[in-house]
């Protein structure tokens, strides 16, 4: 049973619908669905009643098998609530249903609030977002407040972020709207396409940054290489020698001009005075 019905029913109401559906499939396979749900067809109901009367031993044995299936697929807390001596599968099935279907109206209000306020930004992916909507969709159906396909698809696209604006327009253009499963599949494809586009842009940006860094590294290396330093040193020495040679020439010129302008004096009251530029002036004697 654990491999056929992998869900163990607990107090989480979201599991009941799935558990119930799987259990009914199992009962149909073994032709014992009438042990938990009274047939609606008159002919099937007559057949079940005839089996109870004509072969009551077989009916009781099959009924016990169905009870065993239910006991094996619920938690200990639920088992303690439904376990009754000399019980029937139908009565046990009804008690389990009542545990999860009581207070339908109050639960419907709570689920409706959750359904209305579910948005993609609260989930890690579009798949998780759509799965949660599907869970609420099933729970609302379980409390007799089903949501039709049009409403759940419109809710799905209204809860998307702005980056999916193009997808929202694409879905809205369909008349009638696609099924929820189809819209979910296309939304997941749109998410995958957007992720690939972002990855390509990121890779391109990383390549440009790598080329820029490589260029900067090459410039930095050339500026600090021994060959570049040697060339700069030779150029500096040449410039320094040329500057010193020019300075020496300028100094000799200054000395010549200074020699022409300087005068000779005699402290004894007389002397010679030389005038003129560059030593080419006239001489005179003064007293």
């Amino acid at each position: 049973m654990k491999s056929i019905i992998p869900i163990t029913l607990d107090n989480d109401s979201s599991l009941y619908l799935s558990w119930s559906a799987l259990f009914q499939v199992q009962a149909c396979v073994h032709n014992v669905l009438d042990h938990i749900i009274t047939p609606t067809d008159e002919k099937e109901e007559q057949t079940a009643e005839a089996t109870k009367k004509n072969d009551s031993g077989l009916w009781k044995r099959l009924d016990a098998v169905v009870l065993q299936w239910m006991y094996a697929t619920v938690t200990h807390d639920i088992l303690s609530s439904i376990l009754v001596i000399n019980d029937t599968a139908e009565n046990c099935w009804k008690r389990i249903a009542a545990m999860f279907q009581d207070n339908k109206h109050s639960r419907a209000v709570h689920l409706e609030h959750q359904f209305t306020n579910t948005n993609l930004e609260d989930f890690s992916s579009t798949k998780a977002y759509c799965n949660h909507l599907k869970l609420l969709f099933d729970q609302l159906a379980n409390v007799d407040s089903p949501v039709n396909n049009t409403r759940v698809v419109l809710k799905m696209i209204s809860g998307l972020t702005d980056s999916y604006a193009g997808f929202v327009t694409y879905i809205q253009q369909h008349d009638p709207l696609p099924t929820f499963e189809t819209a979910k599949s296309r939304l997941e494809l749109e998410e995958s396409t957007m992720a690939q586009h972002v990855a390509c842009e990121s890779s391109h940006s990383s390549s440009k940054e790598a080329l820029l860094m490589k260029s900067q590294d090459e410039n930095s290396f050339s500026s600090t290489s021994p060959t570049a330093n040697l060339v700069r040193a030779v150029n500096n020495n040449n410039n320094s020698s040329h500057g010193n040679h020019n300075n020496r020439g300028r100094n000799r010129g200054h000395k010549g001009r200074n020699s022409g302008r300087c005068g000779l004096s005699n402290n004894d009251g007389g002397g010679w005075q030389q005038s003129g530029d560059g030593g080419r002036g006239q001489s005179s004697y003064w007293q």
Side-chain angles (χ1 to χ4, degrees):
M1 288 301 298
K2 291 293 184 181
S3 61
I4 298 173
I5 304 178
I7 296 175
T8 299
L9 184 62
D10 58 17
N11 291 318
D12 184 0
S13 61
S14 63
L15 296 176
Y16 172 72
L17 193 61
S18 299
W19 176 86
S20 175
L22 291 173
F23 200 96
Q24 291 181 56
V25 169
Q26 177 68 7
C28 286
V29 170
H30 294 276
N31 197 27
V32 291
L33 184 61
D34 53 352
H35 283 258
I36 57 176
I37 300 175
T38 302
T40 56
D41 184 76
E42 184 177 354
K43 185 176 181 180
E44 292 179 353
E45 185 178 3
Q46 290 176 356
T47 301
E49 290 296 330
T51 304
K52 288 181 184 180
K53 292 179 181 180
N54 299 331
D55 197 347
S56 60
L58 176 61
W59 179 270
K60 288 181 179 179
R61 185 168 66 85
L62 293 176
D63 207 63
V65 170
V66 177
L67 271 171
Q68 189 179 39
W69 292 348
M70 284 187 276
Y71 295 160
T73 55
V74 299
T75 61
H76 291 290
D77 291 338
I78 294 180
L79 180 61
S80 61
S81 301
I82 63 173
L83 192 58
V84 176
I85 298 176
N86 297 325
D87 197 10
T88 65
E90 184 177 5
N91 290 337
C92 184
W93 179 264
K94 290 179 178 179
R95 281 197 300 276
I96 294 176
M99 293 177 61
F100 294 94
Q101 293 181 340
D102 285 344
N103 302 320
K104 287 184 179 180
H105 297 298
S106 60
R107 291 182 59 202
V109 170
H110 177 68
L111 292 170
E112 184 69 29
H113 177 75
Q114 286 186 316
F115 182 79
T116 304
N117 292 279
T118 298
N119 297 299
L120 176 61
E121 60 185 7
D122 299 324
F123 297 87
S124 60
S125 65
T126 58
K127 183 176 182 179
Y129 168 64
C130 292
N131 286 342
H132 188 72
L133 286 177
K134 178 63 166 57
L135 178 62
L136 295 174
F137 172 86
D138 293 338
Q139 290 179 340
L140 283 167
N142 189 42
V143 293
D144 295 334
S145 298
V147 178
N148 59 36
N149 180 78
T150 299
R151 187 180 172 209
V152 72
V153 171
L154 290 177
K155 171 54 198 170
M156 182 190 74
I157 62 176
S158 67
L160 298 176
T161 57
D162 293 339
S163 57
Y164 290 91
F167 175 80
V168 171
T169 302
Y170 167 75
I171 294 296
Q172 288 176 337
Q173 290 174 347
H174 286 74
D175 188 19
L177 291 174
T179 64
F180 176 74
E181 292 300 328
T182 300
K184 174 186 174 185
S185 177
R186 292 177 180 176
L187 177 60
E188 292 176 1
L189 179 61
E190 179 73 9
E191 180 185 41
S192 177
T193 303
M194 291 171 60
Q196 291 177 0
H197 182 68
V198 171
C200 289
E201 287 186 345
S202 177
S203 177
H204 182 66
S205 177
S206 298
S207 299
K208 291 177 63 178
E209 291 179 359
L211 290 174
L212 179 60
M213 292 179 63
K214 182 179 179 181
S215 177
Q216 292 176 347
D217 290 341
E218 289 177 351
N219 293 336
S220 176
F221 174 77
S222 62
S223 64
T224 58
S225 64
T227 303
N229 290 334
L230 179 60
V231 171
R232 282 197 297 270
V234 172
N235 291 335
N236 290 337
N237 288 336
N238 290 337
N239 293 334
S240 177
S241 299
H242 183 69
N244 292 336
H245 178 74
N246 291 336
N247 288 335
R248 286 195 298 270
R250 286 194 294 270
N251 291 336
R252 285 194 298 269
H254 287 309
K255 288 179 180 180
R257 287 191 295 271
N258 290 336
S259 298
R261 290 190 180 94
C262 67
L264 298 177
S265 61
N266 190 337
N267 292 331
D268 294 334
W272 291 92
Q273 181 180 11
Q274 186 178 11
S275 64
D277 188 12
R280 293 190 299 272
Q282 298 177 354
S283 297
S284 60
Y285 180 79
W286 59 274
Q287 293 183 353

